[in-house]
């Protein structure tokens, strides 16, 4: 089973996720050690396709404190590893109007760090409000059911 390192909760709030993809991440040694310590933030991270390669931009991996004189750049562009057919399919979808690819989560899988990318459209402000209203209604209905079952 995969162990989650970091999750981008804001992505689900800002986007309607249509499809999800898994990709490997090309990292340096100090980045992996820093991720093990939990010093990673995905809030502004997203994926792009350039010259038939997939890249992750905006992922913030803080520097590793115990590193020697060689240190990585915290917000550098990182290459994502994925099959060519999947990259081509993503590239076609991203060319459609309104689609973008936020990073949803970072996790361990078989001792390797993987990233989950979501393909989705941005939500308008009224869509966000509707989502919040629905969450509140679901929460209240669950409370009522639990209160009824306690009696």
């Amino acid at each position: 089973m995969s162990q989650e390192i970091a999750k981008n909760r804001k992505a689900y709030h800002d986007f309607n996720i249509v499809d999800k993809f898994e990709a490997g991440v090309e990292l340096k040694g100090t980045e992996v050690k820093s991720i093990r310590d939990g010093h990673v933030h995905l809030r502004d991270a997203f994926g792009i396709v350039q010259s038939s390669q997939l890249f992750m931009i905006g992922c913030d991996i803080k520097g590793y404190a115990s590193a020697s004189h060689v240190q990585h750049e915290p917000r550098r562009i990182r290459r994502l590893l994925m099959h060519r057919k999947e990259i081509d399919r993503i590239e076609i979808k991203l060319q459609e109007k309104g689609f973008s690819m936020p990073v949803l989560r970072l996790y361990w899988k078989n001792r390797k760090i993987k990233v989950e990318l979501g393909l989705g459209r941005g939500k308008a402000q009224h869509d966000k409000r509707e989502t919040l209203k629905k969450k509140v209604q679901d929460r209240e209905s669950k409370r009522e059911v639990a209160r009824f079952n306690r009696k």
Side-chain angles (χ1 to χ4, degrees):
M1 193 66 196
S2 61
Q3 182 184 1
E4 194 166 281
I5 299 168
K7 188 173 186 176
N8 186 358
R9 292 189 184 115
K10 192 159 172 59
Y12 289 102
H13 179 71
D14 291 340
F15 296 94
N16 285 324
I17 305 299
V18 177
D19 204 359
K20 295 179 183 179
F21 299 96
E22 177 184 80
V25 187
E26 192 176 271
L27 296 170
K28 295 182 179 178
T30 55
E31 290 174 327
V32 174
K33 290 184 177 197
S34 184
I35 288 172
R36 282 186 195 276
D37 289 344
H39 300 293
V40 61
H41 301 285
L42 299 176
R43 188 179 187 113
D44 300 326
F46 62 95
I48 61 166
V49 179
Q50 285 182 342
S51 63
S52 298
Q53 290 188 3
L54 194 60
F55 294 98
M56 179 171 56
I57 296 176
C59 179
D60 188 18
I61 301 175
K62 301 289 184 216
Y64 183 59
S66 301
S68 62
H69 64 283
V70 179
Q71 193 64 264
H72 68 272
E73 187 180 327
R75 293 183 66 93
R76 74 178 183 90
I77 297 172
R78 293 168 179 89
R79 190 167 73 128
L80 299 177
L81 309 171
M82 197 180 257
H83 291 285
R84 172 74 56 215
K85 287 181 182 179
E86 287 180 308
I87 293 174
D88 292 340
R89 199 170 95 209
I90 290 171
E91 189 172 20
I92 291 168
K93 276 290 194 185
L94 285 176
Q95 289 173 355
E96 291 181 29
K97 186 177 181 189
F99 272 103
S100 60
M101 195 166 45
V103 173
L104 301 177
R105 67 187 186 117
L106 203 63
Y107 58 96
W108 291 101
K109 184 176 178 183
N110 299 332
R111 297 181 58 194
K112 292 184 175 26
I113 296 175
K114 301 286 184 175
V115 64
E116 183 177 60
L117 300 162
L119 190 63
R121 293 181 187 268
K123 285 185 183 176
Q125 188 64 33
H126 60 79
D127 290 337
K128 294 177 189 178
R129 286 191 209 119
E130 288 176 17
T131 305
L132 290 174
K133 285 179 189 176
K134 186 177 180 201
K135 262 188 201 175
V136 169
Q137 288 174 350
D138 289 344
R139 192 178 320 126
E140 288 175 358
S141 65
K142 285 181 182 178
R143 282 185 192 151
E144 289 296 322
V145 169
R147 189 172 352 145
F148 179 78
N149 288 337
R150 273 188 256 143
K151 292 182 182 181

